[in-house]
Amino acid sequence: MRKSSIPIVAVVLLGAAFSYFSLDDQLKEVIKKNDLKAYEKVPPLDSAKVELGRMLFFDKVLSGNRDISCATCHHPSLKSGDNLALAIGVGGFGLGETRVMGEDRERIPRNSPELFNRGAEEWHTMFWDGRVSGTPNTGFLSPADEKLPEGLDNVLAAQAMFPVTSRDEMRGEIGDTDIFGEQNELSLISNAAPQSVWHALMQRLLAIPEYRQLFKQAYPQIPQNKLGFQHAANAIAAFEIKEFTFVDSPWDRYLRGDLSALNDSAKRGALLFYGKANCAGCHAGNLLTDQQFHNIGVAQFGPGNENAAPLDAGRFAETGNPKDRFAFRTPPLRNVAISGPWMHNGAYIRLEDAIRHHLNPMKALVDYDIEQLSPELRLTLKNDPTVIARMLSNLDAGVSSSISLEDKEVEDLLAFMESLTDSSAMNLNRLMPNAVPSKLPVEEITPYRRYKNY
Ligand code: HEC
Ligand code: HEC
């Protein structure tokens, strides 16, 4: 008995050891082939700029009616998002999943994305439809064309010029009054003159002594009359880069050589992601996005966007190229497990469903479960056969042939997605200032709701 059991135990142990090493060996190949690297910290940022940016990010004085800040839709307590499928802008009340729309307002047609790691050097595309893009070297493309000022530090700063000009997000409609009943002077400016909005906003900010001081500390070499909203935008971007960059997910630790950072399920998930599940066909490179636009057939609901309304044609509105119809930018995936609801319109409240969607988009679109939408959004679902046929007619080739995965394999993919979470991104309440220079209230989530999942 004793004699014969030893070799059996040895064989079992050897076998286990062999398969353990082989997962890592296979992954080593994948990592090499895809040239994957851990996400690295950005170079240090000027702290005076970061502090100015923090104030601006949380200050509702940036909005026409003084009722909404960047943080309303990108709140640290909500993982830099808002927990809503579609964002609620000017006129809304509350924060997070209990936020409600003001009278006679509409939803923003898109989901507020998380803001993680957008300061990476490789980032060059902002918004779900990429309408702001570029680098400081190549210059920036944006809806403001030549009116966009020079001197923007990066694409994140270029992006920060736009929420304040958007009537629905922050600026307000003609005839709006602010929360004190005063005229909203920003709303009176023509849509064709974004430069006048930026100018008027700087007047608002520089009328507040504390902002004059903060701008002076951040830009000591620039006289006050030469300060423009691009300086505010650069500061907001510095804050976003400093506080929303996370480099220590288990996957990053694994890429740095700590083979114990992932469990076997996550390792199998990574192999599927870069292998037969073909996720890396689009979620490519170190940011887990190719920053390109693909129609993967996500259900349409909400008010719709621009000329395509009540549909949202995504990238098509920017390029007019039929192949871009219903295409949205591939989202990055670091911290994806904590940043739902998922997709450009928050169509899914379960990460597993967002993953399964890709395996058979046609089925996912036809069988879309509207229970996960708020009652008001359910009424706006556009799922008649003509719409579905149009969407499926130019489905991206990367998802057009259905992939069959066993339930266990989907679990492994999920485990890999979870391994992309840096645990220090889970609780960001420390980013909130106690007060902002305008003395407008800083929005906070009550402790009960702060930890609730949607
Ligand atoms: C009303 C809610 C709302 C407010 C207020 C708001 N955002 Fe957003 N933000 C969104 C939505 C929705 C999108 C996606 C819009 C789209 O793609 O068309 C977005 C997109 C972004 C992006 C692009 C991320 C990416 O991956 O492309 C950044 C960065 C960002 N917002 C930062 C800010 C900053 C900075 C402010 C304040 C100046 C701000 N937002 C104000 C809702 C909001
Ligand atoms: C053809 C390109 C493509 C392929 C292949 C692909 N994706 Fe995606 N993925 C996208 C696009 C584009 C979106 C956003 C679509 C939208 O919102 O309309 C997305 C969204 C997601 C989301 C939601 C993220 C968020 O922040 O909302 C997850 C999670 C995801 N993909 C994971 C995967 C996994 C896992 C695979 C492999 C099974 C995969 N993707 C394969 C292009 C792709």
Side-chain angles (χ1 to χ4, degrees):
M1 270 300 272
R2 224 170 144 224
K3 257 187 183 167
S4 66
S5 70
I6 289 168
I8 291 173
V9 168
V11 165
V12 168
L13 279 178
L14 253 174
F18 180 75
S19 65
Y20 180 78
F21 283 122
S22 79
L23 273 181
D24 288 324
D25 285 347
Q26 289 173 62
L27 263 177
K28 201 170 163 187
E29 279 304 299
V30 163
I31 288 165
K32 205 167 129 200
K33 200 170 129 226
N34 290 278
D35 193 23
L36 301 175
K37 296 195 180 68
Y39 190 74
E40 294 301 337
K41 269 209 166 61
V42 289
L45 295 146
D46 178 69
S47 61
K49 242 169 151 178
V50 170
E51 285 320 302
L52 170 61
R54 184 189 317 277
M55 293 302 160
L56 294 168
F57 191 86
F58 286 92
D59 202 333
K60 296 180 176 184
V61 76
L62 258 52
S63 64
N65 294 348
R66 295 178 164 84
D67 66 342
I68 186 166
S69 72
C70 307
T72 310
C73 301
H74 302 285
H75 205 278
S77 304
L78 303 169
K79 323 290 193 291
S80 70
D82 60 5
N83 269 12
L84 295 166
L86 298 179
I88 294 178
V90 173
F93 301 93
L95 188 61
E97 66 269 33
T98 57
R99 183 165 169 81
V100 291
M101 264 187 300
E103 218 174 303
D104 297 329
R105 309 277 177 173
E106 270 197 335
R107 292 265 186 164
I108 309 292
R110 308 239 169 101
N111 176 262
S112 305
E114 39 68 37
L115 303 181
F116 299 123
N117 300 343
R118 299 301 195 273
E121 220 177 297
E122 309 98 286
W123 267 112
H124 53 76
T125 314
M126 288 288 152
F127 292 118
W128 287 102
D129 54 15
R131 63 187 179 276
V132 170
S133 67
T135 67
N137 294 334
T138 60
F140 300 106
L141 291 177
S142 82
D145 297 322
E146 74 290 343
K147 290 168 192 149
L148 191 72
E150 306 263 295
L152 289 157
D153 286 348
N154 45 47
V155 70
L156 203 46
Q159 188 284 334
M161 300 296 286
F162 291 95
V164 296
T165 61
S166 157
R167 288 191 178 279
D168 298 337
E169 283 193 7
M170 297 184 87
R171 186 151 75 99
E173 300 297 335
I174 298 173
D176 277 1
T177 49
D178 74 8
I179 54 163
F180 304 111
E182 303 287 330
Q183 189 181 61
N184 169 351
E185 82 285 14
L186 303 181
S187 73
L188 302 176
I189 299 167
S190 147
N191 288 353
Q195 73 282 19
S196 306
V197 177
W198 296 320
H199 181 73
L201 257 175
M202 284 311 281
Q203 287 187 314
R204 261 195 195 189
L205 292 173
L206 294 173
I208 301 170
E210 199 180 333
Y211 272 123
R212 286 204 293 277
Q213 189 60 26
L214 287 167
F215 272 99
K216 201 169 162 192
Q217 282 160 0
Y219 300 101
Q221 71 291 20
I222 302 180
Q224 196 182 306
N225 62 0
K226 290 278 187 310
L227 286 170
F229 196 73
Q230 65 275 27
H231 299 108
N234 284 338
I236 293 174
F239 164 74
E240 291 170 308
I241 295 170
K242 164 96 192 328
E243 303 292 20
F244 295 127
T245 297
F246 291 96
V247 301
D248 204 24
S249 69
W251 176 236
D252 290 302
R253 294 206 294 275
Y254 188 86
L255 290 173
R256 285 188 200 106
D258 175 2
L259 300 186
S260 67
L262 297 190
N263 61 27
D264 281 0
S265 176
K267 287 177 190 173
R268 287 192 300 269
L271 288 170
L272 286 164
F273 189 93
Y274 291 99
K276 85 168 177 190
N278 183 38
C279 311
C282 300
H283 297 278
N286 288 322
L287 300 171
L288 299 128
T289 167
D290 54 5
Q291 298 189 62
Q292 297 297 312
F293 306 86
H294 306 274
N295 167 18
I296 66 163
V298 173
Q300 291 262 337
F301 53 82
N305 201 30
E306 308 215 2
N307 295 340
L311 299 179
D312 183 348
R315 181 70 175 162
F316 177 73
E318 292 305 302
T319 64
N321 184 341
K323 97 173 189 350
D324 289 332
R325 214 185 289 274
F326 310 118
F328 295 88
R329 189 198 59 200
T330 310
L333 298 177
R334 273 196 182 69
N335 297 317
V336 70
I338 59 171
S339 68
W342 291 274
M343 301 297 183
H344 73 272
N345 52 7
Y348 293 109
I349 60 168
R350 286 172 295 268
L351 182 57
E352 180 175 343
D353 293 348
I355 295 172
R356 283 189 186 274
H357 175 99
H358 296 72
L359 307 179
N360 190 343
M362 188 199 291
K363 185 168 180 300
L365 187 52
V366 173
D367 293 348
Y368 179 70
D369 171 16
I370 66 165
E371 290 296 315
Q372 58 200 314
L373 295 179
S374 66
E376 154 238 340
L377 285 179
R378 281 177 211 162
L379 300 172
T380 66
L381 184 73
K382 265 76 76 179
N383 63 348
D384 58 90
T386 1
V387 171
I388 290 190
R390 270 181 76 199
M391 292 180 66
L392 294 175
S393 70
N394 77 325
L395 203 60
D396 194 279
V399 286
S400 58
S401 47
S402 72
I403 299 175
S404 86
L405 293 184
E406 316 222 337
D407 287 352
K408 205 174 155 305
E409 292 177 306
V410 174
E411 254 172 53
D412 291 340
L413 274 175
L414 257 171
F416 177 55
M417 296 290 100
E418 270 153 23
S419 81
L420 299 169
T421 306
D422 181 330
S423 57
S424 49
M426 305 279 285
N427 187 339
L428 298 175
N429 298 332
R430 64 183 163 75
L431 304 188
M432 290 178 45
N434 292 327
V436 288
S438 69
K439 310 276 191 295
L440 289 163
V442 177
E443 257 162 338
E444 203 189 348
I445 284 213
T446 57
Y448 151 71
R449 276 163 52 214
R450 187 178 289 160
Y451 299 109
K452 196 179 153 212
N453 264 329
Y454 6 80

